[in-house]
Amino acid sequence: MPSHDFRGPRLFVDAPLAQDGRVELDRDQSNYLGNVLRLAAGAEVLAFNGRDGEWQAAIEGRKRPDGLVILQQTRPQDRLPDLAYIFAPLKHARLDYMVQKAIEMGAASLQPVLTRFTQASRVNTERMRANVVEAAEQCGILSIATVAEPVPLERFLTQRAAGRLLIFCDEAAEHENPIRSLQAARAGEGIDVLIGPEGGFAEEERVLLLRQPKILRLALGPRIMRADTAAVAALALVQAVLGDWGGERG
């Protein structure tokens, strides 16, 4: 059974949280609590900031919610697995979906990379951050994943830490059992999971990727997936074999 309350509303606040403290609400938060959820002064919510755990808090304010009084901690702060999701951006709603699912799957950081066949020419990182927060609020997640600005794939590969395992999901790879391939891998200093664009990687990009240290070229079965579907499949496999789903890794 989950150890936290799925029924009560949760709110991310960018402020320190401690017992008997007070947090000012911004206009959007006030509108959400008062007009969307129709909560009044005295109603309780769960507040978190990605640093201090989760806290029970009471709404205060006369005409509308304008602050929270912090009551008691409900869960201590945890940490996400050292799992980075690297991806070629998609357009609009499908990018929103992909970001939300990556957060639900436990990604600690999101890094857009621009490839030869990337569909989206512009990436709204503020919208991505809003989706990260929304997914964390809705799914009981305490930590907030970081969102990096997009960079060309080649630059990302030259800047990443060489000790990290790079799991490169490639539709052109041999269709070997992905679970066995992951079981033979060693995460070492963290894991980067890379999903390319809808059109796949260009051959020169594939060559560059295969030159990377600690590379695992992974096939996701005999069918071609859309990029957002591949994200869910790949992150589920990695979390089940190398991540924190088994409960044995800290």
Side-chain angles (χ1 to χ4, degrees):
M1 293 291 290
S3 58
H4 51 278
D5 183 8
F6 275 106
R7 295 169 296 176
R10 300 180 75 245
L11 190 69
F12 171 78
V13 294
D14 189 13
L17 295 174
Q19 190 165 357
D20 299 325
R22 186 183 186 279
V23 174
E24 297 284 343
L25 297 174
D26 62 31
R27 180 179 298 179
D28 289 341
Q29 291 170 329
S30 176
N31 178 69
Y32 174 67
L33 294 178
N35 296 329
V36 179
L37 298 183
R38 299 193 177 279
L39 299 176
E44 294 184 356
V45 300
L46 296 173
F48 70 106
N49 61 6
R51 305 183 299 273
D52 300 322
E54 181 184 74
W55 293 76
Q56 189 177 19
I59 297 173
E60 63 176 11
R62 294 185 178 180
K63 294 183 179 180
R64 61 181 179 83
D66 57 25
L68 299 176
V69 176
I70 309 304
L71 303 177
Q72 62 182 354
Q73 191 177 59
T74 55
R75 286 190 290 162
Q77 185 62 41
D78 62 7
R79 63 185 180 91
L80 294 169
D82 191 0
L83 175 62
Y85 177 51
I86 320 299
F87 60 96
L90 301 175
K91 294 182 179 179
H92 307 303
R94 290 181 59 201
L95 178 59
D96 293 345
Y97 171 88
M98 189 167 65
V99 168
Q100 291 164 4
K101 298 311 159 188
I103 298 309
E104 292 176 37
M105 291 287 176
S109 62
L110 306 179
Q111 173 64 71
V113 290
L114 305 177
T115 69
R116 180 176 174 185
F117 299 129
T118 296
Q119 293 180 340
S121 59
R122 296 181 181 179
V123 181
N124 187 337
T125 51
E126 286 304 311
R127 178 168 175 154
M128 286 176 56
R129 292 185 182 99
N131 276 297
V132 167
V133 169
E134 181 180 351
E137 287 177 335
Q138 293 181 350
C139 297
I141 297 169
L142 296 182
S143 298
I144 299 297
T146 61
V147 177
E149 293 298 320
V151 296
L153 175 63
E154 183 176 1
R155 185 190 305 174
F156 165 74
L157 293 176
T158 59
Q159 294 176 347
R160 64 181 296 272
R164 297 178 65 84
L165 174 63
L166 177 59
I167 299 175
F168 156 41
C169 297
D170 185 7
E171 70 277 4
E174 293 293 330
H175 296 155
E176 299 177 355
N177 187 318
I179 295 177
R180 291 178 185 170
S181 298
L182 287 165
Q183 287 172 336
R186 294 291 180 268
E189 301 174 16
I191 303 172
D192 295 335
V193 177
L194 173 62
I195 300 289
E198 292 292 309
F201 291 102
E203 190 55 37
E204 62 269 21
E205 293 170 338
R206 186 174 285 108
V207 170
L208 185 61
L209 284 163
L210 293 175
R211 290 175 181 168
Q212 297 298 304
K214 296 199 68 174
I215 182 79
L216 173 60
R217 188 183 186 190
L218 196 68
L220 296 176
R223 288 165 293 279
I224 300 297
M225 298 180 183
R226 292 184 1 168
D228 45 352
T229 306
V232 176
L235 290 169
L237 285 167
V238 171
Q239 281 285 58
V241 179
L242 299 175
D244 63 0
W245 284 14
E248 297 177 357
R249 297 173 177 84

